[in-house]
Amino acid sequence: MCRRCAPRAIECEARMEPVIGIDLGTTYSAVATLDSGRPFVIPSRAGARLTPSVVGFTPRGERVVGARAQILGDEMPDRVAPATKRFIGKRWSAELERAAKLVVPYPTLQGPQGEVRIKVAGRVMPVTQVSAMLLGELKLDAEAHFGRPVSKCVITVPANFDEGQRQATREAARIAGLEVLRLLNEPTAAAMAYGLVNSFEGRALVFDLGGGTFDVSVLEMDGGVYEVRATGGDPQLGGDDFDARIVQWLVAQVPDAFRDAVTKDRVSMQRLRYAAERAKRTLSDQSEALLSIGELGDHASPEPRYCQLDTALARSFYETLSEPLTTRCLDVCRQVLEAAKLSPRDVEAVMLVGGMTRMPLVRELVSRFFGRPPLSGVNPDEAVALGAAVHAAELASRQGRTLLIDVASHTLSVGVLGGTVRRLIGRNSPVPATAKEAFLPGRAGQRQARIPVFQGESEFADECTKLGEVVLSELNVGNRADVPIEVTFELSNEGTLSVRAVDTTTGMAEALRIEARTTLSATEVDALQAEQAAYSKDQAEKDKALALQTFPRVLDKAERLVRLLEKSAEEEPSEEADAAVGEVKALLAQGRVAVRLGDTAQMAEVTRLLERLVDEA
Ligand code: AMP
C-alpha cells in the first residue's frame, strides 16, 4: 500500500467486516486473515502463532485453552482434553474407546445421540463443545487483533472427513458464534497459500502429515482454478504414531518392578507421551534429545511408589524406530499417484503441510521420491490457516476469482441383496456429482422398501460405514419388476450427501435419514451456545481493558518515531521524508481520537499500520 494512503486505509479497512480462516487441527490450531492481499497468521493473545488444540479446567474450575492448557496437562493430565478432533462427528463404540485409551488421557463415553463425549476434570462434555471452545478462543484472538467482533470464517477439515464429521464441525462453529462461509478441505487450503506465495501454477502434490492423520492430494492449479485430481490418505497415521514408537521404547526402559503399573496408569502414560513428543520435536533440529520423566507409577494407589526415567534418544535411532511409518507415507503417495494416473516425476511442486513434515527424514524421503525439493516460502504448520484466510477473503468479496473442483473422498453406495453394495459415486469422482439408479424391491408383495446407504471402499456392506437409510412405504408390489425404485445421490461441492428415493409407479418420494449424524439436540446446542457466549463476553471485556491499558505505549512509540523521522527530514530534506513524517503524524492523531472515544477497532488499525510502517522502514 502507498504510504500516503495509510490514513485513508484506516477508514476503508475499518468499514469492511473482517473475515478469518481457521485451521482447526488435531494438535495445533491457527487463525489467519488477509492483510493487503497477503495472508497473515493472527498471533494469539499469548503471542504465539499456533494454539495447541487443548482445553483444560484448573482445580478452581477455570477454563484454560491452548498453551495454558498444555502446561496444565504436564502436571494434571486428567484435567485436559487434547486431540479431540479424532472423535468429532463419530459414533461412540467400545472399539473407539479401546483405541482412544492408547492415545488420549481421558475416557470417552456414549452420548444420547450416539455421539462421543469425553470426561475431563470430572465434567462430561460433547466433543463438539471442546471444538467450540477452541474455535471460540481463536475467535477471541482475532477480535483482539481487529479490536471488534468477528464472526465470518472459513474452517478447514481433512479431505477425508465424512458427512457426520463435517456437520459436527459446523455445529461446533455455531456454538462458538461463528458463521461458516464454507468448510474447505485442508489440502486445497494449503495449495492456495503455497500457490499465492510462490506464484505457482501447475500440477502439485500436497503431502500433509499432521498429528493424527496423513493425507495426500494431487491438484491442478491454473489461474484461480483448483482442481483436485485424486486424494487419499491413512487416517491412522500421524505424529501421535511416531510418539507412540518412542513411548514403546521408553516403556521398555522402565524398571521391571514398575512397568506393569506404568502401562496401566493413564497419568504415567500421558507423561511418557508428552516427553516423547517433545523429544521428537527436538530431534528435528538436533542430533540427540535428552529425556527426564519423573513420577511414573500407579497414581490411583493410596500409597503410590514412583520411579524416574532418564535417557537419551539419538536422531538416527529415532529414524530407525519410525521407519515403518515413513514407509507407509510413501506407499500412500504411490496409491494416490496411481489413482491420478501420474508418476512421481509428473508432479511439478510438492507442498508440505503439518508439523510432522519438519522432521528431516520426511523431507529427505519426499525429495528423493519426487526427485525435487519441496516448495518453500510457507510454514508447513501455517499453510492451511493461510489458505483458509485467502479463501475467506475471496468468498467475502464475492469476486468469484476462484473455482474449486474437489473430488469425493469416499465411495458412496446402496446396500443390495446378499450383503454387498452397489456403487453410485466412486471415490475421487469430481464433485458436485449426481448419480441415479433404479432398484427393484426384494420380494413380491413387499409393502415397504428400506434402502441402506453406505460409505466406504469395500464391496461388502459390513465393511463399509452405514450413513442411514431411505424408507419408502405403501408400496404396492405385485411382482418384483412392478415397482422400480429410483435412487438419486447428490454430493455437493462441500461433500454433503443428499439421497432421494422415488417409487416410480406412484411418484412418492422419501429423503435419506442420516443415522451416522451425531448432532446434539437443539436444546443442548442452545445451552452450550449461551455458556460460550457468556465466557466470550467476559474474555472480550478483559481483552478490551488490556487494549485500553497498553495502547498509550503504542502512541509513545509513534511519537518517538515522529521525532526520529523529523530529525532525518531536517538532515536530508526530501518529499518522501516529509511524507513519512506526515503519515506517522496522521496515524498518531487517529490514535489519540481512538483513545478519546475508547474505540478499540481504531486502536487495532493504528497499531497494525504503525507496525507495517516500522517493518517497511
Ligand atoms: P498438525 O496436526 O499439523 O498441527 O501437526 C502436529 C504434529 O506435528 C504433532 O504430532 C507434532 O508433534 C508434530 N510436530 C510439530 N512440530 C514438529 C517439529 N518441529 N518436528 C517434528 N514434529 C513436529
Side-chain angles (χ1 to χ4, degrees):
M1 180 185 28
C2 159
R3 290 184 164 196
R4 280 166 222 229
C5 296
R8 254 181 293 134
I10 289 190
E11 287 165 30
C12 162
E13 292 186 19
R15 257 183 277 125
M16 275 165 30
E17 191 185 345
V19 286
I20 52 174
I22 296 180
D23 169 12
L24 182 61
T26 307
T27 326
Y28 289 95
S29 296
V31 55
T33 190
L34 211 64
D35 185 0
S36 306
R38 305 284 294 175
F40 157 89
V41 169
I42 298 175
S44 70
R45 286 159 295 151
R49 298 169 74 82
L50 300 176
T51 296
S53 304
V54 190
V55 168
F57 300 92
T58 65
R60 283 174 36 213
E62 184 198 358
R63 182 199 298 186
V64 281
V65 183
R68 284 181 67 203
Q70 209 172 34
I71 293 166
L72 177 70
D74 273 349
E75 287 305 313
M76 302 177 185
D78 57 334
R79 296 204 149 263
V80 297
T84 50
K85 183 176 168 183
R86 283 174 170 272
F87 312 115
I88 194 162
K90 290 200 173 160
R91 291 187 80 73
W92 186 89
S93 67
E95 197 185 318
L96 178 138
E97 166 57 10
R98 261 195 306 279
K101 226 175 182 163
L102 301 174
V103 283
V104 292
Y106 45 82
T108 64
L109 308 153
Q110 184 172 22
Q113 318 287 330
E115 82 280 9
V116 182
R117 299 202 170 210
I118 62 164
K119 190 164 183 193
V120 56
R123 271 177 78 143
V124 174
M125 305 164 67
V127 167
T128 32
Q129 188 186 9
V130 181
S131 296
M133 287 177 172
L134 291 168
L135 290 171
E137 210 62 22
L138 299 169
K139 181 175 185 281
L140 283 165
D141 286 335
E143 290 177 341
H145 172 77
F146 288 109
R148 60 204 171 115
V150 177
S151 61
K152 289 195 163 70
C153 67
V154 163
I155 302 180
T156 56
V157 287
N160 63 12
F161 252 26
D162 65 22
E163 161 83 16
Q165 291 165 304
R166 286 169 198 262
Q167 288 294 344
T169 305
R170 280 188 176 276
E171 183 173 77
R174 202 161 46 245
I175 294 170
L178 285 164
E179 180 193 336
V180 182
L181 298 175
R182 183 179 170 144
L183 291 180
L184 179 64
N185 285 344
E186 289 167 6
T188 313
M192 284 179 171
Y194 271 105
L196 185 74
V197 170
N198 291 283
S199 305
F200 171 82
E201 292 197 340
R203 191 174 295 134
L205 181 135
V206 178
F207 182 107
D208 180 357
L209 188 57
T213 56
F214 176 51
D215 296 299
V216 174
S217 294
V218 176
L219 296 104
E220 298 274 358
M221 297 161 58
D222 181 14
V225 178
Y226 294 79
E227 183 175 0
V228 180
R229 292 276 301 271
T231 179
D234 185 337
Q236 311 299 341
L237 176 58
D240 295 348
D241 302 285
F242 289 74
D243 302 350
R245 294 242 142 203
I246 302 176
V247 169
Q248 258 179 11
W249 170 76
L250 289 172
V251 165
Q253 295 173 69
V254 170
D256 290 349
F258 286 89
R259 193 170 307 119
D260 194 41
V262 167
T263 50
K264 286 186 181 137
D265 183 65
R266 277 187 191 264
V267 176
S268 299
M269 289 306 284
Q270 190 59 24
R271 274 178 195 276
L272 291 176
R273 274 195 288 268
Y274 275 139
E277 200 263 347
R278 252 182 239 129
K280 176 186 74 177
R281 278 191 281 129
T282 304
L283 292 174
S284 289
D285 304 316
Q286 291 167 31
S287 57
E288 190 180 70
L290 299 176
L291 296 99
S292 178
I293 314 141
E295 279 194 34
L296 296 173
D298 179 4
H299 284 76
S301 153
E303 285 175 30
R305 282 188 323 114
Y306 297 124
C307 69
Q308 161 97 17
L309 189 60
D310 294 294
T311 185
L313 178 60
R315 183 195 281 174
S316 54
F317 185 63
Y318 163 59
E319 289 178 350
T320 311
L321 276 180
S322 42
E323 202 187 309
L325 303 173
T326 43
T327 307
R328 271 166 65 192
C329 289
L330 294 185
D331 289 344
V332 171
C333 289
R334 277 188 204 97
Q335 286 158 17
V336 175
L337 286 174
E338 204 180 299
K341 300 190 176 57
L342 297 172
S343 79
R345 302 281 153 158
D346 296 328
V347 172
E348 292 162 296
V350 182
M351 302 171 171
L352 296 184
V353 181
M356 277 305 302
T357 61
R358 290 186 182 274
M359 182 175 165
L361 180 65
V362 169
R363 292 176 166 256
E364 207 180 297
L365 289 176
V366 165
S367 303
R368 234 184 287 147
F369 184 79
F370 291 98
R372 63 172 72 241
L375 269 194
S376 55
V378 179
N379 271 339
D381 30 26
E382 294 176 358
V384 170
L386 294 172
V390 172
H391 197 48
E394 156 74 19
L395 291 176
S397 69
R398 299 206 182 117
Q399 289 181 346
R401 282 177 306 200
T402 312
L403 177 64
L404 306 185
I405 306 169
D406 232 306
V407 292
S409 53
H410 305 272
T411 297
L412 297 161
S413 318
V414 164
V416 291
L417 288 177
T420 57
V421 297
R422 175 97 54 84
R423 296 177 172 201
L424 263 74
I425 296 179
R427 181 194 172 112
N428 284 328
S429 313
V431 290
T434 306
K436 217 179 251 187
E437 200 157 332
F439 293 87
L440 297 172
R443 54 196 150 70
Q446 189 175 330
R447 303 284 304 161
Q448 194 187 56
R450 290 182 170 269
I451 300 142
V453 176
F454 291 95
Q455 155 185 299
E457 305 319 305
S458 171
E459 59 186 294
F460 299 106
D462 59 1
E463 290 175 2
C464 295
T465 307
K466 186 173 172 191
L467 291 178
E469 55 185 23
V470 187
V471 182
L472 269 177
S473 355
E474 294 175 38
L475 297 182
N476 193 0
V477 185
N479 66 63
R480 274 196 74 202
D482 282 352
V483 188
I485 293 170
E486 192 177 77
V487 178
T488 309
F489 276 22
E490 265 179 35
L491 190 62
S492 78
N493 56 4
E494 263 197 12
T496 310
L497 175 70
S498 52
V499 179
R500 264 168 64 85
V502 181
D503 172 347
T504 49
T505 54
T506 61
M508 275 194 22
E510 281 298 335
L512 176 73
R513 195 170 52 85
I514 301 205
E515 287 171 357
R517 214 176 258 177
T518 54
T519 40
L520 306 174
S521 71
T523 331
E524 186 166 17
V525 169
D526 287 349
L528 296 178
Q529 236 170 5
E531 182 185 334
Q532 180 63 30
Y535 171 85
S536 298
K537 186 165 174 267
D538 186 47
Q539 292 294 314
E541 275 164 16
K542 286 183 187 150
D543 292 340
K544 182 169 180 180
L546 192 67
L548 293 173
Q549 199 187 329
T550 52
F551 188 66
R553 265 182 257 146
V554 175
L555 293 186
D556 289 347
K557 252 196 231 163
E559 276 168 8
R560 281 201 297 277
L561 185 61
V562 168
R563 284 199 292 276
L564 266 173
L565 292 171
E566 278 177 338
K567 194 159 169 258
S568 63
E570 259 172 49
E571 286 164 8
E572 279 178 55
S574 73
E575 226 177 81
E576 278 81 35
D578 286 346
V581 173
E583 204 176 327
V584 183
K585 276 187 170 170
L587 283 175
L588 198 53
Q590 300 259 14
R592 290 198 182 111
V593 173
V595 170
R596 216 174 42 247
L597 300 176
D599 183 343
T600 46
Q602 184 114 321
M603 288 181 203
E605 273 307 295
V606 169
T607 308
R608 203 171 59 75
L609 291 170
L610 275 171
E611 274 167 5
R612 199 189 295 167
L613 285 181
V614 173
D615 282 351
E616 285 170 4

